[in-house]
Amino acid sequence: MADNRRTPPRGSRPRGRTGPGRTTGSGRGGGGRPPQPPPAQAAGGDRPRRPRLTGRAAILVLVLSVLAISYASSMRAYFQQRTHIEDLKTQIAQREANIDELEREKRRWHDPAYVQAQARERFGYLMPGETSYVVLGMDGKPLESQSTLTDPSTVNQHRPTAWWTTEWRSVQLAGVPPEPEAPPATEIDGTEEKQQ
């Protein structure tokens, strides 16, 4: 009796038969072998590493840094110009205030009472029938109306003494009073000076 069963050609496997230890595949690889991993995975077990900084990433970083630098310099120039504008506005406001003050001063000079007051104050002018009084200083020269007080730091300052020093001096002089001095002259006679 002849066997009617066909034997599969070599290299192929029977269709539709599965069993323990057998895998189904696409039929391309070897029959019954598990799929082989790529050579890189088989050796290291990991995927191949790509370089961290690629050419495109380097160009992107370069472009972003150039943009950041240009924007930073533009912002610095912007803030400098804003500061300059604020300074100019302050100067304009001060000069406008000065102009207003000068215009008020100009309007005052049209008032006759203001002109008279300035003539009295600056030049010492008097109206007819008025009497002028001049205050003289210690040197005999008239004091100016704009004279000011001297700076206290330029005046010789008397250093204060402790209260017990004057008390102790009075105790020391209590037993020995000072000799009396001649009384001051009540009249001044200038004949002696003229004769000398």
Side-chain angles (χ1 to χ4, degrees):
M1 249 172 102
D3 191 11
N4 290 341
R5 286 189 277 173
R6 289 186 182 173
T7 59
R10 274 188 192 172
S12 69
R13 56 185 184 153
R15 294 184 185 177
R17 285 169 129 192
T18 58
R22 298 190 183 209
T23 59
T24 58
S26 61
R28 276 196 195 175
R33 290 185 190 168
Q36 296 291 324
Q41 285 183 355
D46 293 333
R47 289 186 172 179
R49 291 187 179 180
R50 297 182 68 186
R52 290 186 180 183
L53 186 64
T54 62
R56 288 182 183 176
I59 291 172
L60 180 64
V61 168
L62 180 66
V63 168
L64 289 177
S65 62
V66 168
L67 287 175
I69 290 170
S70 65
Y71 281 130
S73 63
S74 299
M75 289 299 289
R76 186 182 64 188
Y78 171 75
F79 285 123
Q80 286 177 348
Q81 289 174 355
R82 293 292 298 169
T83 305
H84 186 63
I85 287 171
E86 292 298 325
D87 292 342
L88 290 177
K89 284 182 180 178
T90 304
Q91 290 179 6
I92 289 170
Q94 289 176 349
R95 291 188 178 157
E96 285 177 351
N98 290 342
I99 289 171
D100 293 341
E101 181 63 31
L102 290 173
E103 286 178 352
R104 279 195 297 272
E105 182 76 20
K106 183 181 175 183
R107 284 193 299 270
R108 278 190 216 137
W109 280 103
H110 293 292
D111 183 13
Y114 182 76
V115 174
Q116 284 181 3
Q118 292 300 314
R120 286 175 187 268
E121 183 181 336
R122 295 185 184 189
F123 305 115
Y125 287 178
L126 300 173
M127 295 298 286
E130 291 182 347
T131 305
S132 173
Y133 295 97
V134 178
V135 180
L136 300 177
M138 294 180 68
D139 56 357
K141 295 179 180 178
L143 293 177
E144 298 179 1
S145 60
Q146 289 90 9
S147 60
T148 58
L149 296 174
T150 58
D151 186 12
S153 62
T154 61
V155 179
N156 292 334
Q157 295 181 354
H158 175 69
R159 297 184 76 186
T161 57
W163 63 272
W164 60 83
T165 57
T166 55
E167 298 299 325
W168 181 249
R169 192 173 302 126
S170 67
V171 169
Q172 288 177 340
L173 294 176
V176 185
E179 296 181 8
E181 296 179 359
T186 56
E187 293 182 8
I188 298 175
D189 187 12
T191 57
E192 296 179 2
E193 292 181 6
K194 290 180 181 177
Q195 290 175 358
Q196 291 175 359

